[in-house]
PDB file of all heavy atoms in Angstrom:
ATOM      1  N   PRO B 148     -20.580 -12.972  13.298  1.00  0.00           N
ATOM      2  CA  PRO B 148     -21.101 -11.584  13.196  1.00  0.00           C
ATOM      3  C   PRO B 148     -20.996 -11.065  11.768  1.00  0.00           C
ATOM      4  O   PRO B 148     -20.112 -11.576  10.985  1.00  0.00           O
ATOM      5  CB  PRO B 148     -20.205 -10.862  14.159  1.00  0.00           C
ATOM      6  CG  PRO B 148     -18.910 -11.631  14.392  1.00  0.00           C
ATOM      7  CD  PRO B 148     -19.302 -13.083  14.122  1.00  0.00           C
ATOM      8  N   TRP B 155     -19.745  -0.767  10.115  1.00  0.00           N
ATOM      9  CA  TRP B 155     -20.985  -0.016  10.101  1.00  0.00           C
ATOM     10  C   TRP B 155     -20.810   1.469  10.686  1.00  0.00           C
ATOM     11  O   TRP B 155     -21.178   2.426  10.119  1.00  0.00           O
ATOM     12  CB  TRP B 155     -22.028  -0.727  10.974  1.00  0.00           C
ATOM     13  CG  TRP B 155     -23.321  -0.117  11.112  1.00  0.00           C
ATOM     14  CD1 TRP B 155     -23.874   0.598  12.118  1.00  0.00           C
ATOM     15  CD2 TRP B 155     -24.445   0.107  10.047  1.00  0.00           C
ATOM     16  NE1 TRP B 155     -25.137   1.083  11.874  1.00  0.00           N
ATOM     17  CE2 TRP B 155     -25.419   0.832  10.676  1.00  0.00           C
ATOM     18  CE3 TRP B 155     -24.485  -0.418   8.822  1.00  0.00           C
ATOM     19  CZ2 TRP B 155     -26.528   1.072   9.952  1.00  0.00           C
ATOM     20  CZ3 TRP B 155     -25.678  -0.116   7.956  1.00  0.00           C
ATOM     21  CH2 TRP B 155     -26.612   0.537   8.617  1.00  0.00           C
ATOM     22  N   GLY B 168     -22.233  -1.779   2.776  1.00  0.00           N
ATOM     23  CA  GLY B 168     -23.480  -2.494   2.941  1.00  0.00           C
ATOM     24  C   GLY B 168     -24.134  -2.872   1.586  1.00  0.00           C
ATOM     25  O   GLY B 168     -23.993  -2.086   0.566  1.00  0.00           O
ATOM     26  N   PRO B 314     -20.032 -12.091  -3.242  1.00  0.00           N
ATOM     27  CA  PRO B 314     -19.544 -10.637  -3.384  1.00  0.00           C
ATOM     28  C   PRO B 314     -18.973 -10.270  -4.652  1.00  0.00           C
ATOM     29  O   PRO B 314     -18.503  -9.063  -4.796  1.00  0.00           O
ATOM     30  CB  PRO B 314     -18.511 -10.578  -2.238  1.00  0.00           C
ATOM     31  CG  PRO B 314     -17.922 -11.889  -2.315  1.00  0.00           C
ATOM     32  CD  PRO B 314     -18.974 -12.913  -2.636  1.00  0.00           C
ATOM     33  N   GLU B 326     -22.999 -28.281 -17.583  1.00  0.00           N
ATOM     34  CA  GLU B 326     -21.879 -29.089 -17.092  1.00  0.00           C
ATOM     35  C   GLU B 326     -21.823 -29.212 -15.543  1.00  0.00           C
ATOM     36  O   GLU B 326     -21.600 -30.269 -15.040  1.00  0.00           O
ATOM     37  CB  GLU B 326     -20.562 -28.450 -17.678  1.00  0.00           C
ATOM     38  CG  GLU B 326     -19.352 -29.416 -17.300  1.00  0.00           C
ATOM     39  CD  GLU B 326     -18.080 -28.746 -18.034  1.00  0.00           C
ATOM     40  OE1 GLU B 326     -18.170 -27.769 -18.680  1.00  0.00           O
ATOM     41  OE2 GLU B 326     -17.015 -29.508 -17.737  1.00  0.00           O
ATOM     42  N   GLY B 350     -28.459  -5.780 -18.749  1.00  0.00           N
ATOM     43  CA  GLY B 350     -28.797  -5.728 -20.084  1.00  0.00           C
ATOM     44  C   GLY B 350     -29.577  -7.006 -20.424  1.00  0.00           C
ATOM     45  O   GLY B 350     -30.046  -7.608 -19.522  1.00  0.00           O
ATOM     46  N   ARG B 380     -39.392  -8.937   4.811  1.00  0.00           N
ATOM     47  CA  ARG B 380     -38.976 -10.346   5.047  1.00  0.00           C
ATOM     48  C   ARG B 380     -39.808 -11.437   4.241  1.00  0.00           C
ATOM     49  O   ARG B 380     -40.386 -12.268   5.009  1.00  0.00           O
ATOM     50  CB  ARG B 380     -38.832 -10.626   6.612  1.00  0.00           C
ATOM     51  CG  ARG B 380     -38.012  -9.638   7.419  1.00  0.00           C
ATOM     52  CD  ARG B 380     -36.561  -9.282   6.808  1.00  0.00           C
ATOM     53  NE  ARG B 380     -35.681 -10.365   6.769  1.00  0.00           N
ATOM     54  CZ  ARG B 380     -35.188 -10.663   5.655  1.00  0.00           C
ATOM     55  NH1 ARG B 380     -35.214  -9.873   4.514  1.00  0.00           N
ATOM     56  NH2 ARG B 380     -34.358 -11.671   5.413  1.00  0.00           N
ATOM     57  N   GLY B 460     -26.928  -6.802 -10.513  1.00  0.00           N
ATOM     58  CA  GLY B 460     -26.621  -6.926  -9.106  1.00  0.00           C
ATOM     59  C   GLY B 460     -26.002  -5.631  -8.463  1.00  0.00           C
ATOM     60  O   GLY B 460     -26.051  -4.516  -9.055  1.00  0.00           O
TER      61      GLY B 460
END
Side-chain angles (χ1 to χ4, degrees):
Chain B
W155 180 255
E326 189 176 359
R380 309 309 304 125

